Amino acid sequence: REDLEHIAYPKRINFGTKAGHYLLKLLVPPTVAGSIIGRAGAQIKELQTTYDVVIKLSQNTQFYPESNKFTSSERIVLVTGPPDQLCKVAEFIQNLVRNPPTSRDSDSLLSMGDPNRRLQMMKMVVTNTTAGMIIGKGGATVKGLNETYDVRIQASQKDDLVMGERVITVLGPEKGVNNAMEYIKKEKSTDCDSALIHC
């Protein structure tokens, strides 16, 4: 296992955060990462101002390690802020994933079999505790979420590649994905390890 401290779920981050702020950790294709930043950083500045959040992205060559066969190189997006604002930012990012920019680099987004599959996915990194809450006893909770929101939620294996973390993939129609993400956000808010200011 390689040294992955730079991408592991941080217990505390020096984002200048306030009490009650939480961390949202998403994975996005490289082309989407560029759209989040925008020309000369204009888009990321607007997002931070509009939603009162702080957004950090991994470097161009820094990707989250995954064994999922549907995953290519995924950039890491860290967003900290009030819980109600995190889902708004997630919805904005999901729209970018579903409507990626057209460029020569867009092939990297679609290099995973079905070209439409990644466009319908939202990928979030959570702690083992939060993942357990989402799955539920015997998988009961995740089955209910799949039926309620018409989505397919999958979790990577426990400590698959990054200790203490699991990747939650939500696949389905945009509205269903957004609603499922809202549920996951609420579960994260009860997980002390997900808060920047611990319980």
Side-chain angles (χ1 to χ4, degrees):
R1 186 190 299 260
E2 59 183 300
D3 181 7
L4 301 173
E5 290 185 358
H6 61 293
I7 55 173
Y9 207 103
K11 296 297 182 182
R12 293 181 182 273
I13 302 179
N14 185 22
F15 277 177
T17 54
K18 306 172 185 176
H21 280 202
Y22 283 75
L23 169 68
L24 177 66
K25 186 172 183 178
L26 302 173
L27 304 181
V28 300
T31 52
V32 173
S35 295
I36 293 171
I37 297 170
R39 187 179 297 274
Q43 182 63 76
I44 194 171
K45 291 177 183 177
E46 181 179 346
L47 287 170
Q48 294 181 127
T49 300
T50 301
Y51 298 113
D52 187 28
V53 297
V54 176
I55 303 174
K56 302 286 186 181
L57 285 87
S58 61
Q59 298 298 315
N60 291 336
T61 58
Q62 192 177 67
F63 305 116
Y64 192 90
E66 288 188 89
S67 59
N68 190 303
K69 64 182 179 180
F70 295 116
T71 301
S72 60
S73 299
E74 301 273 336
R75 294 273 297 276
I76 306 159
V77 182
L78 296 177
V79 188
T80 59
D84 60 328
Q85 299 300 322
L86 295 182
C87 273
K88 294 179 181 178
V89 175
E91 289 179 13
F92 177 89
I93 293 175
Q94 187 196 173
N95 184 62
L96 290 179
V97 172
R98 289 178 179 268
N99 302 280
T102 302
S103 71
R104 289 178 301 176
D105 296 329
S106 295
D107 288 342
S108 63
L109 176 66
L110 307 176
S111 61
M112 54 198 74
D114 183 353
N116 292 318
R117 190 175 183 86
R118 182 60 182 94
L119 303 182
Q120 299 171 12
M121 287 181 179
M122 195 68 176
K123 301 174 76 69
M124 174 190 291
V125 180
V126 302
T127 64
N128 285 331
T129 302
T130 297
M133 294 176 180
I134 295 167
I135 296 169
K137 187 175 182 180
T141 302
V142 74
K143 290 177 183 176
L145 291 172
N146 288 341
E147 294 175 1
T148 300
Y149 300 124
D150 189 27
V151 297
R152 183 181 181 188
I153 301 175
Q154 292 181 306
S156 63
Q157 295 298 311
K158 188 175 181 180
D159 298 328
D160 186 13
L161 289 170
V162 180
M163 186 68 67
E165 294 189 351
R166 299 178 74 173
V167 177
I168 301 295
T169 300
V170 186
L171 172 66
E174 186 170 5
K175 183 177 179 180
V177 171
N178 284 336
N179 288 335
M181 292 288 289
E182 174 69 20
Y183 176 89
I184 293 172
K185 182 210 72 175
K186 291 178 180 178
E187 291 300 295
K188 281 170 59 64
S189 68
T190 65
D191 177 6
C192 293
D193 284 339
S194 291
L196 293 179
I197 307 301
H198 285 263
C199 301

